[in-house]
Amino acid sequence: MQLQLTKSSYHLTIVGTGEPTWLLLHGFMGSGLDFFNLVQHLPGRFILPDLLGHGTTNADQDYPYTMAHQVQDLNAILTQIIGEAPVNLWGYSMGGRVAIAFAATYPQKVAHLYLESTRPGMLTKDARHQRQNHDANLAAQLLSGSLAEFVDHWEALPLFASQTHLNSALKTQVRKQRLVQDKNQLAKSLTQMGTGSQPNYWPNLLRFNFQTTVITGQLDLKFTQIGQAMLNDLPQGQGITVPNVGHNVHLEAPETVQQILKLEG
């Protein structure tokens, strides 16, 4: 379905009925459909949006793709669909950063927060500036060549090395999903909502007075360390490290993630 807001129009996939209600947020170059096969037989209702710059969500040309605008839109979507009731919120990678921002802005809307392979931002101004330059260079690379060339580069990142062991059908499916994106929209997302552009939400973790589950893959050493640092600050945090998988836990270990989701069903 397509849901029209004031200056943006979101593509949403809604799966299931009843309680609990979930909002699942995908990573960079993904879409809400990334979670479809994972949740279609689970109890509860799952709202799977395409985030700004991704899938078939679109917005007015002058509409900023900032973190503030993204979480404002998600709040408007939830209000239209379920009113003011809290949801279970799951975010992966980029979507996890959005989930943290949403929880910091609308804590009353979060029943349980699930953070998969993500971070609350950069700790220092210097680190943010360096990351902004990195994101800008990545966006320039994206715009200067073909989308297929950028996808080749993206898939070759060490962060995704563990995905080389996926079966060929699944790898083809993931690549096809990436290749249907709009590179101009992706570049706008990178420069306006990338890790370097978002606020530093580390201090907010101390005020997350709801259950928060941090999920990382054992082979993803970087985000496992970041996840442990987050757990040190979260008042009601618990960690799950999934063995023998990397950054994209829900892709590489779907049965494990389904079991986590069922616990709330």
Side-chain angles (χ1 to χ4, degrees):
M1 65 176 286
Q2 205 73 18
L3 192 150
Q4 183 67 47
L5 303 180
T6 304
K7 286 198 166 189
S8 54
S9 178
Y10 277 78
H11 181 264
L12 306 174
T13 301
I14 300 180
V15 181
T17 58
E19 297 298 332
T21 298
W22 293 82
L23 177 64
L24 305 186
L25 307 180
H26 62 81
F28 183 67
M29 282 203 293
S31 77
L33 290 177
D34 291 1
F35 296 105
F36 181 77
N37 291 333
L38 194 73
V39 304
Q40 58 180 325
H41 300 301
L42 295 180
R45 174 169 48 175
F46 295 85
I47 302 170
L48 318 176
D50 295 354
L51 297 175
L52 287 171
H54 294 77
T56 53
T57 286
N58 54 74
D60 292 356
Q61 188 172 2
D62 63 345
Y63 192 64
Y65 285 5
T66 65
M67 193 64 77
H69 286 83
Q70 179 62 87
V71 300
Q72 175 183 292
D73 283 356
L74 290 175
N75 181 57
I77 289 168
L78 289 177
T79 300
Q80 287 197 36
I81 296 175
I82 63 169
E84 299 302 314
V87 298
N88 292 331
L89 176 58
W90 182 298
Y92 158 66
S93 197
M94 179 194 77
R97 293 190 290 105
V98 176
I100 291 169
F102 184 91
T105 309
Y106 302 104
Q108 74 280 7
K109 295 287 188 79
V110 179
H112 192 144
L113 179 63
Y114 294 80
L115 301 174
E116 177 191 352
S117 305
T118 193
R119 68 193 310 164
M122 310 304 289
L123 279 167
T124 67
K125 289 183 178 179
D126 285 346
R128 283 197 297 277
H129 182 68
Q130 290 177 14
R131 186 57 189 239
Q132 285 170 8
N133 289 336
H134 171 273
D135 293 343
N137 290 334
L138 202 59
Q141 179 182 346
L142 175 56
L143 294 173
S144 65
S146 70
L147 181 57
E149 290 171 333
F150 184 83
V151 170
D152 288 341
H153 164 77
W154 188 257
E155 291 176 345
L157 292 174
L159 191 65
F160 304 119
S162 57
Q163 294 180 24
T164 60
H165 302 294
L166 296 173
N167 67 66
S168 58
L170 188 53
K171 285 192 285 189
T172 298
Q173 176 185 328
V174 172
R175 182 175 177 84
K176 182 179 179 181
Q177 172 66 22
R178 290 167 173 164
L179 288 172
V180 297
Q181 304 287 348
D182 182 320
K183 68 177 187 177
N184 294 294
Q185 294 295 304
L186 292 175
K188 187 174 179 180
S189 172
L190 269 173
T191 55
Q192 298 190 19
M193 203 170 65
T195 306
S197 298
Q198 75 170 59
N200 172 20
Y201 290 106
W202 281 97
N204 296 85
L205 300 185
L206 296 167
R207 299 190 292 274
F208 280 8
N209 293 316
F210 37 74
Q211 285 187 295
T212 303
T213 302
V214 177
I215 301 149
T216 57
Q218 180 190 30
L219 303 179
D220 183 2
L221 299 180
K222 174 181 176 180
F223 279 89
T224 296
Q225 291 176 350
I226 292 171
Q228 185 56 58
M230 292 165 59
L231 287 169
N232 292 337
D233 288 345
L234 289 163
Q236 298 188 52
Q238 60 179 332
I240 299 174
T241 302
V242 181
N244 303 316
V245 301
H247 190 66
N248 192 330
V249 180
H250 69 270
L251 177 69
E252 299 178 53
E255 297 86 359
T256 300
V257 171
Q258 284 176 325
Q259 289 301 315
I260 296 170
L261 293 168
K262 282 181 181 178
L263 291 175
E264 289 283 341

